[in-house]
Amino acid sequence: MTGRLRALWRGAIQSRFVRSFGVLLSGSAVAQLLPLAVSPLLTRLYTPAQFGEYALFVSGVNILSQLVCLKYDFAILTAKTDEDAAALFRLCLTLSLVLALLLSLAAPFAPQISSALGAQGSGWLYLLPVGSMLTGLHSALTYYNTRVQCYRRITGANILRSAVLATSQVLLCFAHLGAFALTLGQVLSYGAACLLLWQKVAPLHRSAAGQGMRSAARDYDAFPKYTMPGALCNTAASGSVSFFLATFYSSRELGYYSLVNRVLATPLTLVSTSVGQVYAKELTDARENGDPKRVFRRVAGVLSVGAALLFLLLFPAAPALIRLVFGEQWGPSAAMLRILLPMVAVRFVVSPVSSTGIVFGRQLPTMLWQAGLLLAALLPAGIHLIHPMPLTHYLALQSLLMGLCYLILLIYCARLTAKGGQNHA
């Protein structure tokens, strides 16, 4: 066993994957330093209810951003030619502008929507169109930079986004904007990151003519047909929790939950995204002339070790850590963190390799799994409507069901890479 671990380590440190991942991971680590450093300050500047309102905005943006580019953004990475990739990016840019305008048509109904969700203010809803547009455009720009292996630029964009987010949310608090300051900081941070990523993409995408956009839309129509509904289900599965907590319980309880996401889920998501960006590229190359099974096992194995260490360190320390760092008023977040930690640890392993099916052209099975994940997230809400349950029971049931879904996907990805993606589309 020791010899196998040593061989795995020697192979890992010599691989292009690990070098590319190292660039992204180092940037992600630095990018997380500022938000985590200012979190103790933010939890004293803003109330749990204001964080709850901000959580509604983040969940709404994450869900709507899946519609902005119709998932043609992921097709940029797997496009067969550079001309197709340029055309797909131009298509994403056009779609993001059009769909943002469509979303803005709901602005007159913002007060009614906010009231139905139990939020105290409606300002965050007015920023949803531009926030969704920038988040979707950021995804397209990131995939384009990944395709041309500009990992250092992606790293710089992550650091810039975090710096702008941390600075703006602290400074805007003194403008007495309440939760709107948190949401505005989010929008400004993604806008800054998009500007930096755009500098590399701008010279490349100009080669795509209008006809190329239409042709690319037809050639890669499997992405809006299968990938987009699946990604929407996947994002809604995690984002729907915010809306249910605000509706069934209170924005204050949602605020406690949002702190867990800020200090745990968000950093892990960025690390997983850094791995996933390089993994998708490496797996795409290995699909044709390499060993996809080896790529999968190396990534899943390293992430599993990280997830185990995360669980063992955080589970016993959560109550004392939350109260010490963020203040006594945030104590209830510790119980939520412990409940959600097993599911988050499993998701940490699975999320980076979840693109395996898409890389091998298995969009339909991936979409069906994502629909199942959404059902797992909705089931506790359905049960609560029939038989109301305490918040801790609600979160425990959801954590169990979603954790099982992630394990099922991990097994599927392992079998798919073991077969080498036989008969992939």
Side-chain angles (χ1 to χ4, degrees), residues 9 13 24 58 104 154 181 200 225 260 412 414 424:
W9 173 254
I13 61 177
L24 293 174
V58 173
S104 66
I154 297 173
K200 179 65 179 181
K225 287 180 179 178
V260 175
Y412 172 75
H424 70 268

Side-chain angles (χ1 to χ4, degrees), residues 2-25:
T2 303
R4 293 181 61 184
L5 290 175
R6 289 177 178 174
L8 177 63
W9 173 254
R10 286 196 299 268
I13 61 177
Q14 296 174 357
S15 70
R16 183 182 63 178
F17 174 89
V18 173
R19 291 195 300 270
S20 300
F21 167 61
V23 173
L24 293 174
L25 180 59

Side-chain angles (χ1 to χ4, degrees), residues 228-399:
M228 187 194 70
L232 186 60
C233 289
N234 192 27
T235 305
S238 57
S240 63
V241 179
S242 296
F243 298 103
F244 290 138
L245 293 186
T247 304
F248 295 155
Y249 302 99
S250 68
S251 58
R252 183 179 180 85
E253 298 288 353
L254 176 56
Y256 295 136
Y257 175 81
S258 71
L259 181 64
V260 175
N261 279 328
R262 186 176 184 88
V263 303
L264 178 62
T266 300
L268 291 182
T269 298
L270 278 180
V271 172
S272 297
T273 301
S274 299
V275 181
Q277 290 167 358
V278 183
Y279 172 79
K281 174 64 176 174
E282 293 292 312
L283 193 66
T284 300
D285 296 339
R287 178 188 61 184
E288 302 298 337
N289 51 18
D291 186 357
K293 179 180 178 180
R294 181 183 178 186
V295 174
F296 172 83
R297 285 192 170 184
R298 182 172 65 246
V299 175
V302 172
L303 288 174
S304 296
V305 174
L309 292 175
L310 172 77
F311 181 86
L312 293 175
L313 291 175
L314 283 183
F315 190 86
L321 186 64
I322 291 292
R323 288 183 169 85
L324 175 65
V325 177
F326 303 105
E328 288 292 333
Q329 68 168 332
W330 293 93
S333 296
M336 295 185 183
L337 189 150
R338 280 182 157 181
I339 292 172
L340 297 172
L341 189 55
M343 185 270 293
V344 172
V346 174
R347 189 176 67 185
F348 176 71
V349 178
V350 178
S351 292
V353 301
S354 62
S355 60
T356 300
I358 298 175
V359 170
F360 283 116
R362 304 295 179 88
Q363 284 92 344
L364 181 57
T366 302
M367 183 189 71
L368 293 176
W369 173 84
Q370 290 166 325
L373 183 67
L374 178 59
L375 290 176
L378 296 177
L379 183 59
I383 295 175
H384 181 84
L385 290 174
I386 300 173
H387 182 71
M389 67 183 90
L391 176 59
T392 54
H393 293 180
Y394 183 98
L395 293 176
L397 178 59
Q398 186 166 66
S399 179

Side-chain angles (χ1 to χ4, degrees), residues 94-242:
T94 303
L95 289 172
S96 64
L97 293 172
V98 172
L99 293 180
L101 291 175
L102 293 177
L103 289 173
S104 66
L105 297 177
F109 308 100
Q112 293 86 344
I113 297 173
S114 181
S115 177
L117 294 173
Q120 297 177 354
S122 59
W124 60 277
L125 280 166
Y126 296 107
L127 291 177
L128 270 181
V130 63
S132 302
M133 179 191 71
L134 289 175
T135 304
L137 184 59
H138 178 267
S139 177
L141 287 166
T142 299
Y143 279 125
Y144 209 137
N145 278 269
T146 302
R147 178 182 179 86
V148 296
Q149 299 184 14
C150 288
Y151 298 121
R152 295 189 183 279
R153 186 170 294 272
I154 297 173
T155 295
N158 287 336
I159 295 174
L160 177 63
R161 176 161 59 91
S162 295
V164 173
L165 177 65
T167 304
S168 60
Q169 287 184 336
V170 171
L171 295 179
L172 289 172
C173 174
F174 298 101
H176 305 290
L177 298 175
F180 186 78
L182 293 169
T183 59
L184 182 57
Q186 177 93 356
V187 172
L188 293 175
S189 68
Y190 271 92
C194 286
L195 288 176
L196 182 58
L197 291 171
W198 174 264
Q199 295 176 9
K200 179 65 179 181
V201 171
L204 300 176
H205 91 282
R206 296 192 185 102
S207 61
Q211 178 61 35
M213 287 171 49
R214 293 190 291 270
S215 177
R218 291 192 301 268
D219 293 343
Y220 297 89
D221 62 354
F223 288 87
K225 287 180 179 178
Y226 303 118
T227 306
M228 187 194 70
L232 186 60
C233 289
N234 192 27
T235 305
S238 57
S240 63
V241 179
S242 296

